[in-house]
Amino acid sequence: MKAALPSSPRGGRGESQHVINPDMPWNEEIRAAWARLERLTSSPNTVALMQPLAAELNVRAVLPTIRVPTLVLQHSDDEFIVPAQGRYLGDHIPGAKYVELPGRNMYHFR
């Protein structure tokens, strides 16, 4: 079962970043920085409008049309974007390279 992202009322407080990146360093300063980023990039109304759309987004039809070098990075234990989804991208984008990394964070930095 896929883990649930925090609902929009938590948006703008930086908490969702800790949920989707549980192994990254975490303290009040980092949380405050993520919270500021969340507030500057989207309003609560935008988040409320985009969440249902993002859940239904399907780009499968355009994958074969991608004509640039593509590297698909995937964490093996990511609960939100599971490896099968990353492998699908790698298999359906012409010439793409798929690389599965250990870990469970959505973002690929430490």
Side-chain angles (χ1 to χ4, degrees), residues 65-83:
T65 69
I66 296 173
R67 300 282 182 243
V68 296
T70 304
L71 175 62
V72 179
L73 298 175
Q74 175 70 47
H75 275 131
S76 59
D77 298 318
D78 188 326
E79 296 180 17
F80 300 102
I81 302 173
V82 296

Side-chain angles (χ1 to χ4, degrees), residues 11-87:
R13 293 191 253 175
E15 297 169 7
S16 61
Q17 298 305 318
H18 190 50
V19 171
I20 63 176
N21 301 291
D23 298 325
M24 76 180 214
W26 196 254
N27 60 37
E28 180 54 28
E29 182 180 2
I30 292 168
R31 187 211 57 77
W34 280 111
R36 183 171 186 269
L37 175 72
E38 289 173 3
R39 289 190 305 273
L40 289 173
T41 58
S42 54
S43 70
N45 287 339
T46 300
V47 171
L49 289 170
M50 294 302 295
Q51 280 181 335
L53 295 175
E56 299 300 321
L57 187 62
N58 184 341
V59 297
R60 290 184 192 118
V62 299
L63 297 179
T65 69
I66 296 173
R67 300 282 182 243
V68 296
T70 304
L71 175 62
V72 179
L73 298 175
Q74 175 70 47
H75 275 131
S76 59
D77 298 318
D78 188 326
E79 296 180 17
F80 300 102
I81 302 173
V82 296
Q85 292 170 305
R87 280 191 294 276

Side-chain angles (χ1 to χ4, degrees), residues 68-72 89-98:
V68 296
T70 304
L71 175 62
V72 179
L89 291 175
D91 289 343
H92 290 85
I93 296 172
K97 180 176 181 177
Y98 173 78

